[in-house]
Amino acid sequence: MCGRYASTRSDDDLSSLFDAVVRLGDPPEPSYNVAPTDPVRIVLDRDDDRQLRTVQWGLVPSWAKDKKIASRLINARSETVTEKPAFRKAAAKRRCLIPADGYYEWEKREGAKVPHFLHTDGVMAMAGLYELWPDPARDDDDPDKWFWSTTVLTTTATDTLGHIHDRSPVVVPDDLWSAWLDPGLTDLAGVSDLLESIPEPHLTPREVSTAVNSVRNNGPELVAPV
């Protein structure tokens, strides 16, 4: 799974990298310890534009009674994302990329959980879904009527990473970004085929300090090797 990650790139960097022409919402502060329910930047194609938008990490399906469900839907299994009611509609119509410097995973080792930071040479584009939830406490003409949220897709970890954890984020290579974001792709079978075509990422793991265990800690020292 993916329960913490780092995201420190500026909006200018992300807009240039992903060719985003529209920026929506206040950009979150750079973070070395992004946690569930935090505001995060996502990349999506909507209204004929490539957008950089701030949403909450933790999906709130449109049919949810309240936002409490978000903490349970920070990840979605790519193998079943086109089948599960919580994700099926978003998989067909609301796919996104979630930029990250890398993510953290904890290896079970002799009764302890040892944190690792897994990263690539550049920005990691994690496959995600986003949703819009109508807040019943707000009027229909309220600009904040629709609450935006996202989830990270996960897959079986590769052999080289499986010893750390059996799941890892789906990392979309840059030559498949446009295909993943394409709003014209609404056929769920096609979405499944696209997911299966995404190659295994080449990630570099390094053991880091247990300081990352606390969401109160946030700084570049969290990604430094121990």
Side-chain angles (χ1 to χ4, degrees), residues 66-87:
D66 54 48
K67 294 185 284 187
K68 295 178 181 179
I69 195 173
S71 61
R72 304 199 305 270
L73 298 179
I74 63 169
N75 292 156
R77 295 176 69 93
S78 60
E79 298 90 341
T80 57
V81 75
T82 60
E83 304 167 6
K84 297 293 186 180
F87 308 118

Side-chain angles (χ1 to χ4, degrees), residues 4 15 55 85 104 107 130 157 166-167 186:
R4 300 280 184 81
S15 295
V55 304
Y104 300 97
E107 177 188 4
Y130 69 94
D166 61 347
R167 304 292 294 179
T186 59

